[in-house]
Amino acid sequence: MFDALGISGSGMHVHQSWMDAISDNIANVNTVRPAGQPAFQARYVVAQAVENGGTGAGVQVAGIQLGSATGRLVYSPGDPNADAKGYVRLPDIDLGEQMTTMIMAQRGYQANAANLDRVRATYQAALQMGRG
Amino acid sequence: MLEDVSIDALQAAMHGLSARQRAISADIANVNTPFYRAHDVAFEADLQRALDGGKSPFGVTPTTTVSDAPAGLNGNNVDLTAETTQSVKTELAYQLALRAAGDRFSLYRTAIAGS
């Protein structure tokens, strides 16, 4: 009963997690690490469809994959994290890519929210059946 | 008593429409899932055939098929525009069926209670 509400909700949840991961990636775009340590690793949400053999039962977060730990070395001798040669390690996060995927996640969330509202209206109408 | 093929047919239609609404919800939920294939739900032709053949509309089960439309770069073939249009159409069709069933019920109510 009321399955479609939960299915739309699962879509909103996954897109929300995706936006959380992207926000974290953008927040850490300038996170400096010493050259001898791994760089901050970008987080990528893995979405997976929930199949029930019929109409489908929504979507779930199957896991989080981490991006490159190599990052890129930047010459910044004034940084307290810098090694003897003056290098620090920054994450290899492309801000343009992150912003683009942020828009995709946002639009996906909005599509699910709009569908949730239509499903809600349908169930609302069904609850009124037989009245008046 | 109160055996009415119209109400039965409308109930079968609402059953099919709600299965379609679930499939559309699942498709929209997976709009960004890599390698996801959209689902299609069909029941109208079976329902029409059952009604034409004088069979019970309750024998109609909605069939779900996986869409073979061409996929995008990430292997996902959900067309958000088509899904949204389908979602609105399904909602309106469901409300229409509900209204028709409700009107049918009010006929009975009038017959039972008078005026």
Side-chain angles (χ1 to χ4, degrees):
Chain A
M1 193 68 183
F2 304 136
D3 292 341
L5 289 172
I7 294 172
S8 290
S10 74
M12 287 168 76
H13 175 72
V14 166
H15 284 92
Q16 174 77 62
S17 305
W18 195 9
M19 282 194 284
D20 290 348
I22 295 164
S23 300
D24 192 55
N25 295 343
I26 295 173
N28 283 292
V29 75
N30 283 316
T31 298
V32 175
R33 295 266 172 86
Q37 288 182 20
F40 171 83
Q41 288 170 275
R43 285 159 171 78
Y44 296 96
V45 171
V46 181
Q48 185 185 45
V50 183
E51 292 293 346
N52 59 359
T55 51
V59 63
Q60 65 185 11
V61 177
I64 306 287
Q65 287 195 350
L66 295 174
S68 158
T70 315
R72 57 197 165 90
L73 286 174
V74 175
Y75 185 64
S76 177
D79 197 299
N81 284 312
D83 63 4
K85 290 179 185 162
Y87 284 100
V88 293
R89 201 173 288 279
L90 276 163
D92 192 15
I93 294 174
D94 178 3
L95 201 54
E97 183 197 324
Q98 295 295 326
M99 295 306 274
T100 314
T101 45
M102 174 66 105
I103 293 169
M104 283 170 70
Q106 188 185 359
R107 295 288 178 251
Y109 187 89
Q110 285 169 343
N112 276 284
N115 192 56
L116 181 80
D117 195 51
R118 283 189 293 273
V119 170
R120 185 199 56 76
T122 311
Y123 285 135
Q124 184 78 43
L127 289 172
Q128 301 293 326
M129 179 157 63
R131 295 203 184 159
Chain B
M1 181 76 180
L2 296 186
E3 276 158 15
D4 188 328
V5 74
S6 306
I7 292 176
D8 292 354
L10 288 166
Q11 189 186 331
M14 284 188 277
H15 180 61
L17 288 166
S18 96
R20 179 173 296 153
Q21 188 75 286
R22 272 200 302 281
I24 293 167
S25 296
D27 289 351
I28 294 180
N30 284 290
V31 67
N32 283 310
T33 306
F35 304 107
Y36 179 82
R37 297 274 156 170
H39 294 93
D40 292 318
V41 173
F43 69 92
E44 281 97 339
D46 285 349
L47 181 58
Q48 179 79 56
R49 217 169 295 125
L51 291 173
D52 288 346
K55 297 199 187 71
S56 165
F58 295 131
V60 176
T61 34
T63 49
T64 307
T65 48
V66 175
S67 161
D68 55 2
L73 283 176
N74 64 351
N76 182 309
N77 71 347
V78 175
D79 178 352
L80 190 57
T81 314
E83 297 288 346
T84 307
T85 316
Q86 275 288 316
S87 171
V88 173
K89 273 171 78 175
T90 308
E91 187 206 336
L92 290 177
Y94 192 90
Q95 299 220 9
L96 179 67
L98 271 173
R99 179 76 64 86
D103 288 352
R104 204 78 193 168
F105 284 133
S106 60
L107 281 180
Y108 284 119
R109 194 176 296 113
T110 309
I112 293 165
S115 61

